[in-house]
Amino acid sequence: MFSIKIFFKFLVLPLILMTTLESCNEPEAEKYNFEEWQKISVTASAYNSLKQQGEGNPLITAWGDTLKPDVQSIAVSRDLIRKGLKFNTPVKIEGFEGVFIVNDKMHPRWRNKIDIYMGTDREKALKWGRRKVEIAFPAKDETGK
């Protein structure tokens, strides 16, 4: 004595939802072909969104974005912007999982440097310190810029 509504509601609908949700959970990195990306070596340090580490609102970037803990973000030196690391460029960083997004820029005094956003975890940023890493990003013609 099954009704079609009950069958649909408790069996078919959950299967459809599970299939749809699984396709949304595709890892971010799988969208990109890193083999074709440009690779360079840079100095990488870390930064936090803490009042004592900057002027004004520590969550607002130089491009006016709001930093979010769930978005892997980096700031780049301005010479790297000229090399193609423009606003919203995806970047793969040696030693990290996933893809970072360029959404902040550094003071003009810095050269060949990135700053990795580490939320409010000051200890994590201090532990990272400063080191040389290889980064990869789409070549200018791939990003359409």
Side-chain angles (χ1 to χ4, degrees):
M1 287 247 188
F2 271 117
S3 98
I4 192 76
K5 286 182 181 178
I6 292 175
F7 176 74
F8 184 76
K9 188 174 184 178
F10 291 105
L11 188 60
V12 176
L13 190 58
L15 287 173
I16 293 170
L17 287 173
M18 285 173 49
T19 323
T20 306
L21 289 176
E22 281 183 28
S23 65
C24 293
N25 289 335
E26 172 185 327
E28 182 75 19
E30 289 181 10
K31 293 184 203 176
Y32 303 106
N33 182 2
F34 300 122
E35 300 301 319
E36 297 174 5
W37 283 18
Q38 179 177 341
K39 294 175 179 67
I40 59 172
S41 181
V42 297
T43 300
S45 55
Y47 75 110
N48 304 109
S49 50
L50 301 170
K51 281 275 188 203
Q52 63 267 30
Q53 291 184 352
E55 298 174 11
N57 185 339
L59 293 173
I60 304 298
T61 71
W63 271 308
D65 266 9
T66 301
L67 293 169
K68 298 177 183 92
D70 59 330
V71 176
Q72 296 189 110
S73 302
I74 63 170
V76 296
S77 58
R78 292 166 194 237
D79 62 319
L80 294 178
I81 296 170
R82 290 186 291 278
K83 290 182 180 180
L85 284 161
K86 298 182 184 316
F87 180 67
N88 276 341
T89 300
V91 178
K92 180 76 176 124
I93 303 173
E94 171 188 9
F96 285 92
E97 293 292 320
V99 174
F100 287 74
I101 300 298
V102 175
N103 68 1
D104 202 356
K105 54 188 168 183
M106 301 169 74
H107 189 279
R109 72 175 175 262
W110 299 112
R111 297 280 181 262
N112 201 47
K113 188 172 188 297
I114 66 170
D115 242 354
I116 303 165
Y117 178 62
M118 296 194 175
T120 57
D121 191 342
R122 187 172 185 272
E123 293 304 314
K124 183 178 177 184
L126 288 171
K127 185 176 178 185
W128 172 261
R130 184 178 65 202
R131 56 183 94 165
K132 289 274 191 191
V133 295
E134 184 174 83
I135 63 170
F137 57 97
K140 286 183 182 184
D141 58 330
E142 286 182 55
T143 59
K145 298 173 185 171

